[in-house]
Amino acid sequence: MDKNVVSETSTMMKKLSFPDHELAGMLCGEHNANLQLMEKRIGLSIHVRGNHFTLEGGDWQIELAESVLNQLYELLSSKYPVYVNDVEYAIRILSSDQSMDLKKIFMDKVYVASGKTVITPKSINQKAYIDSIRRHDIVFGIGPAGTGKTYLAMAMAISVLLKKEIKRIVLTRPAVEAGEHLGFLPGDLYEKVNPYLRPLYDALHDMMDFEDVSRLIQRGVIEVAPLAFMRGRTLNDSFVILDEAQNATTEQMKMFLTRLGFSSKAVITGDVTQTDLPEGKTSGLIEATDILHAIKGIRFIYFSRDDVVRHPLVQEIIDAYEKMESQKMKRKSAARVTVVDPHPEQA
């Protein structure tokens, strides 16, 4: 049964009670926003009277809603603040696997950013991603925009830097749009490449105070540079992030991966559907998934639309483009099949 479609079977009812009245109120959210989202996403009715909740809907809707409410209540009991977005993520996770423990995911603190914002995983794949970064020296994070690939890698890098487990962070990405024509762009070399590195700076400033970022960059503790600048180097005691790796060529990917020195980690992120390389040029990221998957110590994590942590419309946008690409592939396949026999049989 498609769980996105409300069941037309007979309505069932389930009553739940939570011992702490205050936490029960927090579970509902401001103006019952959390419950309204659950009703919309799961397709059931939730009625509340004090700390007593009545669920009305189909069998699986009630089962899912009960699991979501119980686990969110446990999070609140553990002093974890539950917001509307957390309810959305909880529904996604438990819809795919009700045996998942939300506390193990949501309360896994990756890093406490400036302003005391706590960065934690929000999906099963995000949890697997940060666990892989902890355990492996090379991790690939592959999937659509908005799934937290670069953001979580950056948070992990800053976290281990502050714990003095590494000596520096190196952030890089291909300046593919500039190609071999950097000389024609106005300004000095920094001004030429800066637009292509801006998203990495934005993520840094989102997690750390501006002054701290500037100081660490001046001291060389944090380095942000185009991928071409990595050639000929050996990166020891470093956390290296290659962003937008789908725009790296085969040669660039090999060059980057062989820069890794002792006591270092590398995280490579990208979206194989968004390559900006010239037509006919193979993406180093796509090729790497084929030739490196069997190497122990290298981990590949694949994200999907369900891992998107941006505006809810981003999921629908991704779906729309994937549908369009699927239709294009079907038309191409149909065109190849339509072949005229040059030697028809004689009657």
Side-chain angles (χ1 to χ4, degrees), residues 26-65:
M26 295 169 65
L27 184 59
C28 296
E30 189 173 357
H31 305 301
N32 287 334
N34 294 349
L35 301 185
Q36 290 172 12
L37 178 63
M38 289 181 63
E39 289 179 326
K40 179 180 178 182
R41 290 284 185 267
I42 301 176
L44 81 166
S45 298
I46 304 176
H47 307 283
V48 181
R49 188 161 186 166
N51 61 331
H52 302 290
F53 291 61
T54 302
L55 314 180
E56 291 186 53
D59 188 18
W60 74 261
Q61 284 104 336
I62 288 179
E63 183 181 354
L64 175 57

Side-chain angles (χ1 to χ4, degrees), residues 317-335:
I317 291 169
I318 292 170
D319 283 345
Y321 276 98
E322 287 180 348
K323 190 177 295 183
M324 179 188 70
E325 290 298 325
S326 177
Q327 291 172 347
K328 282 183 179 179
M329 293 298 293
K330 287 180 180 178
R331 286 197 292 269
K332 286 181 180 178
S333 298

Side-chain angles (χ1 to χ4, degrees), residues 108-114 117-121 126 129-130 133-134 148-163 165-166 169-171 199-200 202-208 222 239-241 265 267 269:
D108 185 351
K109 294 182 181 179
V110 178
Y111 173 64
V112 180
S114 58
T117 300
V118 180
I119 299 173
T120 66
Q126 286 192 357
Y129 183 53
I130 63 170
I133 293 173
R134 288 170 177 144
K149 305 181 300 293
T150 305
Y151 197 82
L152 286 173
M154 189 82 79
M156 289 291 292
I158 296 173
S159 177
V160 296
L161 177 67
L162 295 179
K163 293 175 184 174
E165 295 176 10
I166 57 167
I169 297 172
V170 180
L171 311 172
L200 297 176
D202 290 342
L204 271 176
H205 292 145
D206 195 30
M207 297 181 195
M208 303 179 72
I222 295 179
F239 194 117
V240 194
I241 300 174
K265 287 182 178 288
V267 178
T269 70

Side-chain angles (χ1 to χ4, degrees), residues 273-303:
T273 68
Q274 294 289 325
T275 178
D276 295 316
L277 290 169
E279 189 172 352
K281 197 76 172 176
T282 302
S283 167
L285 178 60
I286 295 174
E287 193 171 62
T289 62
D290 294 329
I291 64 177
L292 303 178
H293 68 276
I295 298 179
K296 292 183 179 179
I298 298 179
R299 186 84 163 91
F300 289 85
I301 301 294
Y302 293 90
F303 296 89

